[in-house]
Amino acid sequence: MPEPSIKIPEITEIKTISIPLPTADVPYYTPMVVPPSDLRDQEAKPVKTEEKIEPPTLKIPFIKQPVPQPSPEVIVTAVTTAVTAVAATTLTQPLIENIRKRAQKFIQGKINKWRQNRQKKRDS
């Protein structure tokens, strides 16, 4: 029996048409700058020189570099936040403790009841 073979036809060259890229004439104009009609010379104004004021600093003994003192707004905000947090914690702690004790007692009662029911089922 002869071995199978594949006959591949000869390659024929296909000519392609070359199409040039389109071009366009884009209109161009030089922009013209027209000054405003109410243009006047600026009056000489004195130049203000601002003195650079250094913020107050705190000298802490164990830190070599001075620490800049925060502004009063920042201090007031920080103190208000701290006082509010401490007050909220102090006032709500007894309330939460009471709720925790009651919930623990309730859950322990349910667990004990479940254990008793389970023991009754085993005995019978």
Side-chain angles (χ1 to χ4, degrees):
M1 192 157 179
E3 290 182 26
S5 65
I6 299 174
K7 186 175 181 184
I8 300 175
E10 296 253 348
I11 298 174
T12 57
E13 189 176 326
I14 301 174
K15 293 185 177 180
T16 58
I17 302 171
S18 93
I19 301 174
L21 291 173
T23 59
D25 292 329
V26 179
Y28 175 79
Y29 65 94
T30 307
M32 190 168 77
V33 179
V34 179
S37 61
D38 61 343
L39 188 65
R40 289 179 277 161
D41 268 345
Q42 290 183 349
E43 295 176 13
K45 294 182 182 177
V47 178
K48 293 182 183 178
T49 56
E50 295 182 18
E51 294 179 19
K52 194 170 187 179
I53 301 171
E54 291 194 24
T57 58
L58 300 172
K59 291 188 178 182
I60 301 174
F62 52 87
I63 298 177
K64 294 179 182 177
Q65 192 173 3
V67 178
Q69 184 176 350
S71 65
E73 295 87 12
V74 172
I75 292 175
V76 168
T77 305
V79 168
T80 305
T81 305
V83 168
T84 304
V86 169
T89 305
T90 305
L91 294 175
T92 58
Q93 187 174 1
L95 183 67
I96 292 173
E97 190 66 29
N98 190 4
I99 292 171
R100 186 188 64 78
K101 284 181 184 177
R102 287 184 182 191
Q104 188 174 5
K105 194 181 283 185
F106 175 76
I107 292 172
Q108 191 63 44
K110 292 293 182 182
I111 291 172
N112 290 341
K113 184 108 176 175
W114 175 75
R115 283 182 183 165
Q116 288 173 0
N117 290 340
R118 194 169 166 214
Q119 190 67 30
K120 286 179 185 177
K121 286 183 182 179
R122 283 187 183 171
D123 291 342
S124 57

